[in-house]
Amino acid sequence: MAQLVQLDSILDIPADRWDALCSDGQPFVRHGFLAALEASESVSAASGWVPAHGILKNDTGEIIAAAPLYEKHHSYGEFVFDFAWANAYAQVGLDYYPKLLNAVPFTPVCGPRVLAVDHNARRELAQALAELPGSQNASSLHSLFVDDDSAVALRESGAIARRGCQYRWYNRGYDDFDAFLAQLSSKRRKEIRRERKRMHDAGVEVRVLRPQDIDAELWQTLYAFYGRTYAIRGQAPYLTPAFFNELCQRMAERVRFFVAYHRERPVGMAFMMLGDDTLYGRHWGCETDYHSLHFETCYYAGIDYCIEHGLACFDAGAQGEHKIRRGFEPVATWSYHVISHPRLAAAIDDFCVREADMMESFQREQRERSNFAAHPAHGT
């Protein structure tokens, strides 16, 4: 009989044992990324993210499945918004927090959420996770940005499906950026060329740097750019300065910084990570607001990089309908939710069904508005 064990730190399990369950080439569920979040105290009880990772062991003590899991005392840093659900709980005199979150903190990237040696182990862990809210005085369990394999197991556990939408760029064997532009409508080709020319004429150049290319002074500058993105919204940054140091010690080969220079002075940056066949744009920041700098640093330079290195996909981050105008395509995302209270679970289930219908229509409209000369068959 398999047994569920919970760990209050990812550091309590050896990296090789956790990563042995990661068949996907995506970096965010790997031990190094999750460990960097904890070791840097970006994720901690003080920040409202209490690690409670789920480990499933078989009769001989072998780890056969695992899930990144957190006890949450707020809903920030998740990118699947449930504030209305929390309000509904409050209106009937119930506590929504703590809740349990099966996700990668601050990372709205689709990928494995229930890691396992096979589907049976994945299904068994998903069922064990679904039973945790009732046994731990939590309102709910939320698995966010779930890949197909995890989705099957979570559905079998009775979780409620919720549909979302993101935008991704796909490489269809383009020889260069102009070959990609040739697939777009004339209006969008002109717009993108105008934005890139504006940066070129201003003397702005984006350079792709690895961790070993960055000295202490530039590290401070890049973190200041990142912090400014939150400061202008009146928030503290989710990630501490130590996170980037920890990550680069653990996963340097996966880290890229796209740094925009204006006449040899850094003025902006996009922090990205590499999967096996995908470039992931994660965080952005700049010295001050420059026209078109965000598009050049976060989108066009990333597309250039994917074409040059033969990467199949560019996931440039959550949200952003403006990505449609720049060659990105709408794709469905899914999260899964276990709600402890029966009546509220029924209400949330009904809401998610109606929301999914609206999201499907929205995605279809977005695809019809895409700026390809002929609509590519991708991104369902």
Side-chain angles (χ1 to χ4, degrees):
M1 183 71 178
Q3 178 186 12
L4 175 66
V5 178
Q6 288 189 261
L7 306 177
D8 59 13
S9 174
I10 194 72
L11 302 175
D12 291 340
I13 179 173
D16 59 345
R17 296 181 71 184
W18 179 280
D19 288 345
L21 301 170
C22 299
S23 59
D24 189 276
Q26 186 220 88
F28 302 105
V29 291
R30 294 191 173 269
H31 192 278
F33 190 86
L34 299 173
L37 289 169
E38 291 185 26
S40 67
E41 297 188 348
S42 300
V43 162
S44 66
S47 66
W49 295 77
V50 181
H53 307 299
I55 305 296
L56 194 69
K57 295 184 177 182
N58 65 12
D59 292 341
T60 63
E62 178 188 4
I63 296 173
I64 58 173
L69 188 66
Y70 303 87
E71 180 182 289
K72 285 295 302 295
H73 295 267
H74 55 67
S75 290
Y76 298 104
E78 299 175 15
F79 301 90
V80 174
F81 302 107
D82 63 351
F83 296 103
W85 301 0
N87 289 338
Y89 262 71
Q91 288 171 9
V92 296
L94 298 174
D95 293 327
Y96 191 64
Y97 306 106
K99 64 178 184 177
L100 298 174
L101 192 74
N102 168 217
V104 180
F106 324 123
T107 307
V109 172
C110 292
R113 294 296 175 263
V114 186
L115 316 173
V117 296
D118 57 31
H119 179 68
N120 287 335
R122 187 177 296 110
R123 179 174 55 194
E124 193 167 355
L125 179 53
Q127 184 60 50
L129 294 176
E131 295 169 2
L132 285 179
S135 64
Q136 296 190 355
N137 196 32
S139 70
S140 48
L141 167 74
H142 308 266
S143 300
L144 308 184
F145 300 101
V146 171
D147 73 343
D148 291 342
D149 288 340
S150 297
V152 171
L154 292 163
R155 281 198 301 270
E156 291 175 347
S157 77
I160 298 166
R162 187 178 187 187
R163 181 171 181 154
C165 182
Q166 288 185 344
Y167 303 88
R168 296 177 199 149
W169 178 89
Y170 292 98
N171 186 353
R172 294 185 169 81
Y174 304 122
D175 291 331
D176 53 30
F177 196 90
D178 283 338
F180 155 61
L181 288 182
Q183 303 302 309
L184 302 182
S185 65
S186 174
K187 179 180 180 180
R188 294 311 174 203
R189 283 200 300 271
K190 291 177 181 177
E191 181 180 80
I192 291 172
R193 283 176 174 144
R194 184 165 57 247
E195 288 174 342
R196 301 206 82 180
K197 184 176 186 298
R198 184 179 289 116
M199 289 288 91
H200 180 270
D201 291 349
V204 173
E205 174 193 12
V206 177
R207 302 173 191 167
V208 181
L209 304 182
R210 298 173 182 243
Q212 60 267 30
D213 302 324
I214 303 174
D215 61 23
E217 182 179 0
L218 183 54
W219 275 121
Q220 291 183 341
T221 299
L222 299 183
Y223 188 80
F225 292 164
Y226 163 71
R228 179 179 178 271
T229 302
Y230 290 84
I232 59 180
R233 300 197 298 260
Q235 295 178 241
Y238 286 137
L239 302 173
T240 66
F243 167 77
F244 295 98
N245 294 330
E246 291 285 346
L247 184 66
C248 292
Q249 289 176 22
R250 300 169 189 273
M251 301 181 72
E253 73 283 358
R254 299 278 191 168
V255 175
R256 298 291 184 274
F257 282 89
F258 286 59
V259 183
Y261 287 85
H262 179 235
R263 300 192 178 96
E264 300 304 314
R265 183 170 62 87
V267 294
M269 75 89 187
F271 164 59
M272 305 201 192
M273 292 194 70
L274 285 174
D276 287 353
D277 64 357
T278 300
L279 179 67
Y280 298 94
R282 300 310 326 128
H283 301 283
W284 137 266
C286 60
E287 175 188 66
T288 188
D289 295 324
Y290 293 86
H291 196 297
S292 301
L293 181 63
H294 177 262
F295 303 136
E296 180 64 29
T297 309
C298 296
Y299 302 155
Y300 305 145
I303 291 172
D304 270 333
Y305 187 92
C306 289
I307 293 172
E308 179 183 353
H309 293 85
L311 299 176
C313 179
F314 180 24
D315 180 341
Q319 305 168 344
E321 294 176 37
H322 57 276
K323 293 187 179 82
I324 282 281
R325 291 159 45 198
R326 293 168 174 86
F328 289 75
E329 303 170 40
V331 296
T333 62
W334 294 93
S335 59
Y336 288 84
H337 309 269
V338 176
I339 310 297
S340 293
H341 193 282
R343 291 181 63 186
L344 288 172
I348 287 172
D349 191 7
D350 178 68
F351 165 81
C352 287
V353 169
R354 291 183 284 109
E355 184 187 46
D357 289 341
M358 291 187 291
M359 290 303 299
E360 185 177 12
S361 297
F362 171 78
Q363 185 179 332
R364 185 166 52 249
E365 291 169 3
Q366 291 284 287
R367 180 160 295 286
E368 290 170 354
R369 290 174 49 205
S370 72
N371 295 282
F372 287 90
H375 297 309
H378 213 309
T380 57

